[in-house]
Amino acid sequence: MKHRQLAALTAVLPTVLSVLLALGTPAVQADDWLPPLTPWQGDSLALIQPKHPWVTPAELTNLTETADLAQMQAYLQKLVAQSDLLRLESIGKSPQGRDIWLVKASRQPEQIGKQGRPVLLVQAGIHSGEIDGKDAGLMLLRDITQGDKKDLLAQVDLLFIPVLSVDAHERRSQYNRMNQRGPLEQGWRNTSTNLNLNRDYAKLDAPELRAVLGVINQYQPDLYIDVHVTDGEDYQYDITYGFTEPASSQSPNGASWLQAVYRPALDAALTAAGHIPGPLVFGADPLDFKKGINNWTATPRFSNGYGDVRHLPTVLVENHSLKPFRQRVLGTYMLLEQSLRLLGEQGKALQLAKKADEQARSAQQVLAYQQAAKPARMPFKGIGYEVVQSPISKGPYVRWTGKPVLYQDLPVYQFTEPAVSVEVPKAYWLPVQYQDVIKRLQLHGIEMTVAAQPVQLQLQQLSASEPQFSSKPVEGRMTVSARFSRAFRDITLPAGSVRVSTDQPLGALAVALLEPEAPDSFFSWGFFNTMFERTEYFETYALLPWIEQQLAQDKQLAAEFTAASKADKQLQTDGNARLQWFYQRSPFYDQSYLQYPVLLEQ
Ligand SMILES: [Zn+2]
C-alpha cells in the first residue's frame, strides 16, 4: 500500500470504526446480570417534561442517559442567561484544567450568605458515576426559573455544584459501574489523579475539594447535601440518606434537627411522591442480611463526618444502584425540592441549632467511636435472598430474589461508644516549618495567630511509640497510627510559628485534625512521617571513650545502667543495645526523633 493510500484510509478509519461500533455493539443491558427489578410507578414521574421548551438533556432520553459536561454547560449557560435568579461561576479548576461550576440560585444572587437567609448547598458527582444529583438539579433549576416553583426561593438561597469530580465525569463508559442500573454512560469513581474525593475532606489533597471548601467558607451554608449512589445489598428503598446521629455527634443541636425535623418531613414528602426512603444501609454480614446493619459514624474524611465536626449539618444521600436511573433522579429531585421547602419553613430553627453548636466548647472530645454492645431495632423493608454455592467461585454468594420482605425488628448496630477521646487543649502550636499543614488548616477556615517573634512557652509534647504504618498507600499516602506519651517541656518556637486556639467555631475541627490519635488527623494521614526517621549516628570509637568518661564522673548514670541491665536481658548480652542505651541518654541523641512536632498549650 502506498503511503498516500495509507494516509487516506487513516483519515476515514475513525469514522468507519465508530459506525461499526455503533452498529455492532448494542447498549449494555445491566438487567442481563443484575438481580430482578422491582416494578415502580410514582407521582414524581410527572416531573419529566419532554415537551418543555427548557427540556433538560437527560429528559430527552426519558432519564436513561446523563448529560456530558459540554451539554450541561451549554444548558446551564442558556438557563442562567434567561433568569435574574441564577448565576453561574467557576469555583476552581480540576487537575486536567476543567472548570468546576457553581450555580447560585436566589432572589438576590449577590447577597447569598450575607443577609441571614438560610443557604442550602447541594453537591452532585463527587463520585462522578453516581450522577443522579446533576440531572435532578438541572430539572429543579428549570422548574424554579421557567416553571411554577419560584416560591422555593422565597425564603431560601440555593448553591448547586452539578458535578464536582469533573475530570472523572468525562471518563465516560458503559462499563464503569457494573452494579448500577444506568445511566447508559457513567463517569469514574476516582479523580484523574486517582483520588477518592469522599476521603479527602480532612487532608484536602485534591483541588476539587479545596474548591468546595472555598464555597463553604465564603457562603457558610446551613445545610449541605452530598448526593451519591450506593451498591451493596438489595432492599426496597430507592433513596437512602443519613447523617451523624446525635449520640455520636460533635454538633448535637444540628444532628437533633436533622433527626427530629428533617428526616420525618423528607420521608413523608418522598413517600407521598411514590418513593421509598430509608436509612443508610451497610449490612453487618455479607452472607446473612438478617443479622442486621451497621449505623456507622463517619470520620472527617467523609462529607458527613466532616460536616458534623465543623458544625455544618450534612446529609449523605445514597440512592440505590439497583433502582433505575429514572427512579433515582426523580427521588433526588423530590429530596432537593423538599429540602428547600423545609428550609423555607424551618431554616431559622436550623440556623439557631447550628449557632449553638458553633458556640459550644467541650472540655473533652471523642475522636473515634466503636460499636455499642447492644443493637437498636428497626422495621426494615428488605428483599428476599438465598445463599447459593457457585461452581465458579467455589464459594457461597447471596442471590437476591426481588421479592419484598419486611423485617419487623432488624438489628441496627450503632457506633456510639467512645473509642478514643482527649482533653481539649487551649491551643495547638505549629512550628513555622510546617507550612503545608498550616496552609491546609487555613483552607479549612480555621483561625490562627502567627507569632511575630520567637516564643518561649511551657508546652505539652507528645512522643510516639509503636508506630504502625499502612503496608500500601491509602489515597496515595502512607498512613500511620501510634501510641503517645505526653510531657510538659520548655519549648522555643521560631518566629512565624502559629497558634491555633480551640476557642473558635471550628475548634472541634482543629482537634480532629491536630490530635495525632484522631483517625483523620494530619498525623494519621502521614503528614508528619519524617518524625519517624532518626538522623546523626555514633561511631563506636567515639562513643566508647565518651561513655567511660561519663561513668567515671556520673555515679547515678552507672547505677541506672546497672539497674537497667538487671531488668533487661538484652542489655546483659547485646553489645549494640548497651551502646544504644548510653547514646539515647547522651546530648548527642536526635532530640526530635519520635516527637510529634505540633505542641499543645493546656
Ligand atoms: Zn459515592
Side-chain angles (χ1 to χ4, degrees):
M1 195 183 289
K2 283 189 181 150
H3 187 75
R4 201 183 303 157
Q5 286 172 314
L6 182 64
L9 184 62
T10 313
V12 297
L13 206 53
T15 320
V16 173
L17 271 180
S18 64
V19 169
L20 282 175
L21 279 172
L23 292 173
T25 52
V28 171
Q29 289 295 336
D31 287 332
D32 291 347
W33 61 83
L34 288 180
L37 181 60
T38 319
W40 175 80
Q41 280 290 319
D43 288 353
S44 61
L45 283 164
L47 293 167
I48 305 171
Q49 299 188 59
K51 301 267 161 53
H52 197 291
W54 288 92
V55 59
T56 64
E59 286 172 296
L60 286 172
T61 69
N62 196 20
L63 301 188
T64 59
E65 297 184 34
T66 189
D68 66 17
L69 275 189
Q71 290 172 319
M72 180 198 83
Q73 272 168 235
Y75 183 85
L76 278 174
Q77 278 160 352
K78 274 193 243 166
L79 194 68
V80 169
Q82 292 299 314
S83 173
D84 293 339
L85 300 173
L86 300 183
R87 299 285 184 277
L88 180 65
E89 62 184 46
S90 171
I91 54 170
K93 295 268 190 192
S94 69
Q96 290 180 334
R98 292 186 177 87
D99 281 304
I100 300 163
W101 295 108
L102 173 72
V103 185
K104 303 198 282 187
S106 168
R107 294 199 167 175
Q108 294 170 291
E110 311 310 330
Q111 300 297 319
I112 295 177
K114 293 180 188 163
Q115 294 190 319
R117 289 152 57 83
V119 178
L120 171 64
L121 171 59
V122 175
Q123 174 182 288
I126 186 172
H127 294 147
S128 71
E130 308 169 15
I131 202 58
D132 312 358
K134 173 190 66 185
D135 296 293
L138 294 190
M139 289 168 64
L140 183 59
L141 287 173
R142 182 267 318 277
D143 292 343
I144 289 172
T145 57
Q146 302 293 335
D148 57 359
K149 292 188 177 168
K150 281 194 179 59
D151 65 306
L152 289 174
L153 296 181
Q155 309 288 340
V156 185
D157 296 335
L158 169 65
L159 299 170
F160 175 53
I161 299 172
V163 180
L164 179 58
S165 192
V166 284
D167 291 345
H169 187 273
E170 298 306 279
R171 185 178 167 181
R172 289 159 70 91
S173 164
Q174 297 185 22
Y175 299 95
N176 279 355
R177 293 178 68 80
M178 82 172 307
N179 312 317
Q180 184 172 307
R181 275 197 166 90
L184 179 64
E185 286 196 323
Q186 304 148 352
W188 193 249
R189 179 177 178 79
N190 276 13
T191 69
S192 57
T193 58
N194 204 21
L195 289 179
N196 183 338
L197 294 179
N198 201 25
R199 305 293 182 272
D200 197 44
Y201 277 85
K203 61 184 171 63
L204 295 182
D205 280 332
E208 294 92 332
L209 241 288
R210 292 179 179 209
V212 173
L213 262 289
V215 172
I216 290 174
N217 286 322
Q218 183 177 349
Y219 300 102
Q220 300 288 333
D222 299 290
L223 181 63
Y224 180 24
I225 298 178
D226 179 27
V227 186
H228 294 245
V229 177
T230 189
D231 39 46
E233 293 78 9
D234 198 2
Y235 38 79
Q236 296 173 51
Y237 306 113
D238 57 356
I239 181 164
T240 73
Y241 63 96
F243 35 80
T244 304
E245 300 286 334
S248 53
S249 175
Q250 307 295 335
S251 304
N253 295 286
S256 297
W257 186 90
L258 289 170
Q259 187 189 55
V261 179
Y262 185 82
R263 189 183 286 284
L266 266 288
D267 280 357
L270 284 161
T271 306
H275 292 277
I276 311 139
L280 297 173
V281 181
F282 305 96
D285 182 337
L287 284 178
D288 197 359
F289 186 77
K290 66 178 180 300
K291 284 192 180 158
I293 57 177
N294 288 325
N295 191 350
W296 146 81
T297 294
T299 62
R301 73 181 62 186
F302 302 97
S303 60
N304 47 336
Y306 179 74
D308 186 68
V309 79
R310 72 169 288 151
H311 315 308
L312 166 55
T314 300
V315 178
L316 173 68
V317 178
E318 293 280 7
N319 293 323
H320 191 211
S321 68
L322 295 179
K323 307 299 185 285
F325 182 57
R326 180 184 307 117
Q327 185 177 351
R328 299 186 336 241
V329 170
L330 296 174
T332 308
Y333 180 112
M334 290 308 305
L335 178 126
L336 300 183
E337 179 184 355
Q338 185 59 28
S339 297
L340 282 169
R341 269 190 212 294
L342 187 66
L343 277 189
E345 296 158 10
Q346 295 274 346
K348 295 290 172 200
L350 175 61
Q351 287 177 324
L352 287 174
K354 185 171 184 284
K355 187 73 100 202
D357 289 327
E358 286 169 353
Q359 287 173 346
R361 301 287 180 268
S362 309
Q364 289 257 329
Q365 184 165 325
V366 180
L367 302 176
Y369 289 89
Q370 60 196 2
Q371 188 178 305
K374 208 166 171 263
R377 301 266 169 179
M378 70 172 290
F380 188 93
K381 294 175 181 170
I383 293 283
Y385 60 95
E386 51 200 14
V387 177
V388 196
Q389 198 69 20
S390 158
I392 295 174
S393 72
K394 295 196 180 296
Y397 79 103
V398 170
R399 188 155 67 196
W400 300 95
T401 63
K403 299 205 172 61
V405 171
L406 181 66
Y407 298 95
Q408 294 294 350
D409 54 355
L410 191 73
V412 183
Y413 294 92
Q414 317 260 21
F415 280 65
T416 49
E417 205 62 48
V420 186
S421 58
V422 287
E423 301 276 340
V424 175
K426 277 202 188 74
Y428 295 93
W429 282 88
L430 283 94
V432 62
Q433 62 268 30
Y434 290 97
Q435 286 299 316
D436 182 29
V437 174
I438 291 170
K439 168 95 188 301
R440 288 168 202 249
L441 291 168
Q442 288 167 338
L443 288 167
H444 280 289
I446 291 173
E447 290 166 14
M448 58 186 71
T449 51
V450 183
Q453 304 291 331
V455 277
Q456 254 192 316
L457 282 165
Q458 203 188 52
L459 296 172
Q460 202 177 40
Q461 190 167 51
L462 279 61
S463 307
S465 60
E466 299 171 50
Q468 305 273 335
F469 295 92
S470 55
S471 58
K472 58 179 186 173
V474 180
E475 295 298 311
R477 294 188 164 275
M478 298 308 291
T479 58
V480 61
S481 63
R483 291 179 174 278
F484 288 90
S485 61
R486 296 168 183 241
F488 284 96
R489 300 236 159 82
D490 290 319
I491 307 268
T492 304
L493 289 162
S497 297
V498 303
R499 180 179 188 270
V500 177
S501 170
T502 55
D503 184 13
Q504 60 172 306
L506 295 182
L509 175 60
V511 173
L513 295 173
L514 293 173
E515 278 297 331
E517 288 170 274
D520 285 332
S521 67
F522 288 113
F523 170 84
S524 297
W525 278 111
F527 284 76
F528 294 104
N529 280 355
T530 54
M531 65 183 262
F532 295 102
E533 293 173 61
R534 207 183 91 198
T535 52
E536 294 295 357
Y537 298 90
F538 62 81
E539 294 291 354
T540 309
Y541 60 69
L543 184 62
L544 271 175
W546 186 86
I547 295 172
E548 285 163 12
Q549 288 162 24
Q550 296 302 308
L551 286 174
Q553 293 164 13
D554 188 344
K555 296 292 165 231
Q556 201 188 329
L557 182 69
E560 279 176 26
F561 182 63
T562 307
S565 304
K566 275 187 188 153
D568 184 347
K569 265 237 159 75
Q570 203 188 2
L571 278 182
Q572 294 164 19
T573 54
D574 182 339
N576 188 46
R578 292 164 75 88
L579 293 180
Q580 289 291 349
W581 189 94
F582 284 102
Y583 183 63
Q584 277 179 27
R585 281 154 187 80
S586 82
F588 298 103
Y589 188 71
D590 180 357
Q591 297 301 318
S592 58
Y593 179 52
L594 300 179
Q595 305 297 322
Y596 179 46
V598 180
L599 299 141
L600 280 61
E601 181 185 321
Q602 292 289 2

